Amino acid sequence: MTEQHLYDLIIVGAGPAGLSAGLYAGRATLDTLIIEGDTVGGQVTTTSVVYNYPAVEKVDGTQLMNQMQRQVTDFGVAIKHDQIAKYDLMGEVKTLTGKSGQTYQARSVIIATGANPRKVGFPGEAEFRGRGIAYCSTCDGELFTGLQIFVVGGGYAAAEEADYLSRFGKHVTVLVRGDHFTCPPLTAARALNNPKVSVEYNTEVKRVDGDDYLTSATLVNNKTGEETVYHVDKGDNTFGMFIYIGTQPATKDLEGIVELSKDGYIKTDEKGATNVPGVYAAGDVIVKPLRQIITAAADGATAATTAETYVTAQKQQQGVPIHAAVDKKPAKTVGQTTQLDHQEEVTPHEGNWLTADIDQQLRPIFDRLTKDVTFQVNTNDSELSQQLVSFVTEFADLDDHFTVTTVEGNGNYLPMLKLLDGDGDDTGLHYAGIPTGHELNSLVLGVYNVAGPGQTIAPEMVDRIKKLGPVDIRIGVSLTCHFCPDVVAACQHMAALNPGITATMIDLQHFPALRKEKKIMSVPATMIGDDPVIFGSQSLEELVAAVEKHEQQ
């Protein structure tokens, strides 16, 4: 039996804190692994524009995190995609167990799990999530184009995202619980000085109602007690309500293991150390007065430096060489998590679809392919169809394993790209629309799973997938949604393993009839057969369980 690899450091979480810690650990030649259960970049990728990162006037949140990730992998630090479900941190060797069933061991651990959007809790909030209630402007903003939008909150995010959402909505109203914004005046000014944004102070949401969509909201003035009811504007089918009231620490699995505050945040000292030797924490998950990208990055640097000191002392005591040889070539992340630069679709498209930088990132991945793939474009008489052929042709030029064929399509979702295997058989991996933007990630992983070694998943999970009966899965996406590619890739991995499964990415911008039929106002929107839509990020485990439940009905 092969002895399990012992890392110097495992970092749980790949947001600004985790990536910063990885950067410092990699430069210090610590043998380091970052484990991320969701999207590399964390909550920053839900931010439309970052204005307050030093030396960067303004930058897309996802772009900033992609740049940070490249720095980390350039120092040989690998990023593994798994959700840690169990922590055993008391001994000299720390053991972490993922939901995948895999275990990981390290001399030290940095917890940088961050925090998740906090729910308000008013009646109807959960019921209408995905049908009017939303938490991510970059994911769902465009779905509310031309509609009224409310933003709930009074801090940094509320002011900045209200300004961003004004490019989509016909008007944005910010509902602030207090009598002023709690963020600095210059940040608040983004909302206050925008002619398409108005602000209602001392106002809370009492409840929201509707049928298929959100159609009314009862608001209350918390000083006077006066209630007002907003009804959807005449001619509109719904309106949007985006929630930005802070975050809740992701520490549920750490209760009783490390010391937490009464609000669930991890307590650390000034060096990032918890009450458990060799265990550190950084970023939004810790007790601190300011939760911003820059403070998270600083926390990560501090924790990694402290962890290095701890690991060095432990190795000296054990007579182990302090500095292991570290490969400074970029660490491969395929089969774990692959994050490419953000590309927005331009209509009509001019120039190359793939930048030289993306080309460079893809070539090491495609070097591992061993089988041929045919990109079959099912066309129709549309400009979008011509653009899809153009994109696929350019993509296929990247590797000799790829060929392109076009056929006149039929069906509901055209144009559509289908991946065929070396024998010309349909793999079940389909793309309705053009898989650019964040969806370039899911296309790359789809090709990798069909023609390469494929992403590694637990054998038990493979068995469960192969036992599933025939099923058609559709995933409604927006090209600006950073959560969508993981769901698409997971569903298409199921299709790659089971010939009875089809998994189709559908760019909802081009298929409004499906949006209307399924009453979709949020992405990712996963449709398994004719079952109710599943909104939000889903893990492979959750998706397989959903298909199993579908078969039992």
Side-chain angles (χ1 to χ4, degrees):
M1 185 175 179
T2 304
E3 185 177 348
Q4 183 164 6
H5 184 84
L6 178 63
Y7 291 93
D8 290 335
L9 171 65
I10 289 178
I11 301 165
V12 185
L19 291 175
S20 177
L23 175 62
Y24 274 73
R27 289 190 66 192
T29 69
L30 292 182
D31 184 7
T32 304
L33 174 67
I34 299 176
I35 303 175
E36 170 57 54
D38 202 335
T39 300
V40 173
Q43 289 297 309
V44 181
T45 59
T46 69
T47 304
S48 51
V49 182
V50 175
Y51 291 98
N52 57 351
Y53 199 76
V56 182
E57 183 177 356
K58 65 177 182 178
V59 62
D60 173 84
T62 300
Q63 180 185 344
L64 179 62
M65 290 300 98
N66 286 347
Q67 292 171 193
M68 199 175 285
Q69 180 185 355
R70 282 198 299 274
Q71 284 181 294
V72 171
T73 56
D74 282 347
F75 281 98
V77 176
I79 302 176
K80 172 77 175 178
H81 190 71
D82 201 353
Q83 182 79 44
I84 299 302
K86 182 180 178 182
Y87 295 84
D88 183 358
L89 305 176
M90 297 309 297
E92 285 191 347
V93 174
K94 321 298 182 184
T95 302
L96 310 180
T97 305
K99 283 189 175 180
S100 66
Q102 185 171 350
T103 59
Y104 312 89
Q105 292 189 333
R107 297 177 182 276
S108 63
V109 171
I110 295 176
I111 300 168
T113 48
N116 301 310
R118 190 180 295 276
K119 312 297 188 296
V120 182
F122 53 76
E125 180 180 9
E127 179 184 355
F128 288 97
R129 180 176 182 178
R131 306 194 191 281
I133 299 293
Y135 301 87
C136 175
S137 62
T138 54
C139 299
D140 302 331
E142 70 174 8
L143 301 178
F144 294 89
T145 298
L147 300 175
Q148 168 68 36
I149 296 175
F150 290 91
V151 170
V152 179
Y156 282 93
E160 292 176 343
E161 301 311 318
D163 179 51
Y164 173 76
L165 287 165
S166 70
R167 71 182 66 184
F168 302 110
K170 60 185 174 185
H171 189 78
V172 178
T173 302
V174 186
L175 307 177
V176 182
R177 184 178 182 180
D179 58 7
H180 65 282
F181 278 101
T182 57
C183 55
L186 282 177
T187 303
R190 298 194 180 281
L192 296 172
N193 295 342
N194 187 324
K196 290 184 66 178
V197 177
S198 59
V199 182
E200 297 291 339
Y201 295 107
N202 302 116
T203 303
E204 299 179 42
V205 181
K206 183 176 182 179
R207 63 176 298 115
V208 295
D209 296 280
D211 295 318
D212 297 323
Y213 292 114
L214 187 64
T215 57
S216 71
T218 302
L219 312 178
V220 60
N221 184 299
N222 55 30
K223 279 194 169 182
T224 66
E226 179 184 1
E227 292 187 7
T228 58
V229 178
Y230 171 79
H231 289 284
V232 65
D233 291 348
K234 186 176 180 180
D236 294 343
N237 62 345
T238 189
F239 61 92
M241 183 170 287
F242 286 75
I243 312 296
Y244 292 103
I245 60 162
T247 56
Q248 186 168 351
T251 55
K252 184 179 68 172
D253 296 319
L254 290 161
E255 294 178 5
I257 298 175
V258 296
E259 188 177 0
L260 305 177
S261 71
K262 61 181 178 61
D263 296 320
Y265 293 93
I266 299 175
K267 293 183 177 181
T268 64
D269 63 17
E270 69 279 1
K271 294 183 178 180
T274 70
N275 62 309
V276 179
V279 179
Y280 309 91
D284 286 0
V285 76
I286 70 172
V287 175
K288 61 178 183 175
L290 181 64
R291 293 184 172 83
Q292 292 285 288
I293 302 172
I294 187 171
T295 62
D299 295 340
T302 299
T305 303
T306 310
E308 180 196 2
T309 302
Y310 173 87
V311 170
T312 299
Q314 186 185 89
K315 284 184 171 182
Q316 287 175 333
Q317 193 175 46
Q318 297 174 350
V320 176
I322 293 175
H323 296 291
V326 177
D327 183 4
K328 289 298 185 69
K329 296 179 181 178
K332 292 185 181 296
T333 56
V334 169
Q336 300 160 11
T337 175
T338 302
Q339 195 73 18
L340 303 175
D341 285 335
H342 174 61
Q343 293 258 115
E344 290 191 358
E345 179 189 18
V346 178
T347 304
H349 184 82
E350 297 179 359
N352 294 333
W353 290 94
L354 305 172
T355 65
D357 191 34
I358 289 179
D359 185 357
Q360 185 178 10
Q361 293 178 62
L362 292 179
R363 290 192 182 279
I365 300 171
F366 293 158
D367 284 345
R368 303 184 69 191
L369 302 183
T370 58
K371 304 172 187 174
D372 293 337
V373 175
T374 296
F375 296 97
Q376 178 182 294
V377 183
N378 291 29
T379 63
N380 63 356
D381 185 19
S382 70
E383 173 67 24
L384 184 65
S385 184
Q386 297 174 28
Q387 293 188 22
L388 179 57
V389 172
S390 170
F391 166 75
V392 171
T393 301
E394 184 176 329
F395 188 89
D397 284 341
L398 295 177
D399 195 86
D400 292 338
H401 288 93
F402 303 153
T403 57
V404 180
T405 183
T406 60
V407 299
E408 186 174 345
N410 55 66
N412 295 325
Y413 308 114
L414 295 175
M416 177 184 288
L417 166 64
K418 295 184 177 182
L419 301 192
L420 310 183
D421 64 20
D423 296 324
D425 296 324
D426 189 351
T427 64
L429 280 67
H430 300 167
Y431 306 82
I434 306 175
T436 54
H438 288 298
E439 288 309 321
L440 182 59
N441 293 296
S442 59
L443 175 60
V444 171
L445 287 176
V447 169
Y448 186 76
N449 286 328
V450 167
Q455 295 168 281
T456 302
I457 57 176
E460 314 86 69
M461 180 62 70
V462 174
D463 290 340
R464 286 174 62 186
I465 292 171
K466 289 183 176 180
K467 290 177 182 177
L468 298 173
V471 65
D472 177 35
I473 306 175
R474 295 167 293 169
I475 311 97
V477 307
S478 163
L479 299 184
T480 60
C481 170
H482 60 282
F483 293 115
C484 292
D486 284 346
V487 178
V488 173
C491 292
Q492 292 189 335
H493 200 172
M494 294 162 63
L497 292 170
N498 186 328
I501 298 175
T502 60
T504 306
M505 177 218 85
I506 302 175
D507 182 357
L508 292 174
Q509 178 184 358
H510 299 297
F511 299 96
L514 178 63
R515 279 180 54 192
K516 184 176 181 181
E517 175 196 352
K518 294 295 185 179
K519 303 173 180 61
I520 296 171
M521 296 301 295
S522 182
V523 290
T526 306
M527 294 155 275
I528 300 173
D530 293 323
D531 290 357
V533 179
I534 302 173
F535 291 105
S537 180
Q538 302 288 315
S539 66
L540 180 62
E541 163 66 36
E542 291 169 325
L543 290 163
V544 171
V547 174
E548 291 171 336
K549 181 179 178 181
H550 166 80
E551 293 183 343
Q552 295 168 2
Q553 295 175 346

